[in-house]
């Protein structure tokens, strides 16, 4: 499902633990780490797609999380030219994502990266709040930073932590 502008509808998931740290996962057979995310089916709402992707990629179900927030609209990123599939019509030039902030309510034993036949991730860890924006693949950094900046006040309220905002560009490494 590609929109008229060439963007694929997608959801992104930021999973927060009680200490204000975030779930960070490594892609299978790759060096890249990222938040769970995935495409929406044409008959799904963003919320339905988020719960499906959450279970597929982490093994977590609705009872293991609480939705704390969502972005009010789409956050977009363009794919680098080398990833464009020019022979496909319509051609996908990037992703447009609705992001969800979830509070983890389960036990760590509920996290299962092998919940499907083709797992997306092979490893995970909890990281400091701003770490992902500085360490995700470069073409996703702007979207990660925008989503994290939007959710930072919610995290401060729910986890009673103070998150110092990093500079706009050139985020500090954690």
């Amino acid at each position: 499902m590609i929109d008229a502008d060439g963007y694929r509808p997608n959801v992104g998931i930021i999973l927060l633990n009680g200490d204000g740290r975030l779930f960070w996962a490594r892609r299978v057979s790759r060096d890249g780490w990222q938040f769970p995310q995935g495409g929406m089916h044409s008959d799904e709402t963003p919320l339905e797609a988020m719960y499906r992707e959450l279970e597929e990629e982490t093994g977590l179900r609705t009872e293991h999380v609480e939705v704390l927030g969502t972005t009010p609209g789409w956050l977009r990123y363009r794919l680098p030219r080398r990833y464009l599939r020019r022979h496909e019509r319509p051609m996908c030039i990037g992703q447009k994502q609705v992001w969800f902030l979830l509070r983890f309510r389960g036990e760590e034993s509920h996290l299962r990266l092998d919940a499907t036949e083709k797992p997306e991730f092979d490893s995970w860890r909890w990281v400091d709040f701003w770490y992902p924006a500085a360490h995700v693949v470069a073409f996703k950094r702007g979207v990660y930073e925008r989503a994290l900046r939007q959710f930072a006040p919610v995290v401060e309220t729910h986890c009673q932590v103070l998150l110092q905002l990093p500079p706009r560009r050139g985020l500090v490494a954690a």
Side-chain angles (χ1 to χ4, degrees), residues 19-170:
D19 297 329
R21 293 171 64 81
L22 307 178
F23 177 86
W24 190 234
R26 183 178 65 193
R27 300 284 310 257
V28 169
S29 303
R30 297 190 187 159
D31 290 335
W33 290 70
Q34 68 177 52
F35 291 133
Q37 70 173 57
M40 293 175 54
H41 298 157
S42 60
D43 62 342
E44 285 181 313
T45 67
L47 185 66
E48 291 167 337
M50 182 276 294
Y51 280 124
R52 178 182 49 75
E53 288 292 336
L54 180 71
E55 187 167 357
E56 288 175 5
E57 296 188 2
T58 69
L60 297 178
R61 301 171 55 125
T62 57
E63 63 266 20
H64 300 133
V65 297
E66 172 189 0
V67 177
L68 297 179
T70 184
T71 55
W74 300 105
L75 300 181
R76 290 174 169 78
Y77 68 82
R78 290 184 68 111
L79 293 167
R81 300 186 107 206
R82 68 183 177 273
Y83 293 129
L84 298 179
R85 298 178 185 156
R86 298 183 190 288
H87 62 280
E88 292 184 5
R89 294 289 178 252
M91 185 172 73
C92 177
I93 64 165
Q95 307 263 8
K96 65 179 187 180
Q97 299 175 310
V98 173
W99 281 87
F100 291 86
L101 175 65
L102 307 179
R103 182 197 307 241
F104 181 52
R105 293 278 194 198
E107 301 292 327
E108 288 197 3
S109 62
H110 294 131
L111 284 159
R112 295 212 31 224
L113 302 182
D114 61 352
T116 61
E117 287 183 27
K118 294 182 85 177
E120 295 274 337
F121 303 121
D122 62 13
S123 184
W124 69 273
R125 62 186 178 186
W126 296 108
V127 297
D128 290 336
F129 186 82
W130 295 110
Y131 182 90
H135 292 88
V136 72
V137 65
F139 65 89
K140 293 183 182 181
R141 284 192 183 142
V143 166
Y144 272 49
E145 182 179 346
R146 288 191 305 274
L148 289 169
R149 281 181 180 273
Q150 179 169 340
F151 293 141
V154 178
V155 171
E156 287 177 332
T157 300
H158 284 274
C159 295
Q160 291 153 1
V161 296
L162 182 60
L163 300 171
Q164 175 134 4
L165 288 176
R168 271 265 176 226
R169 284 285 150 212

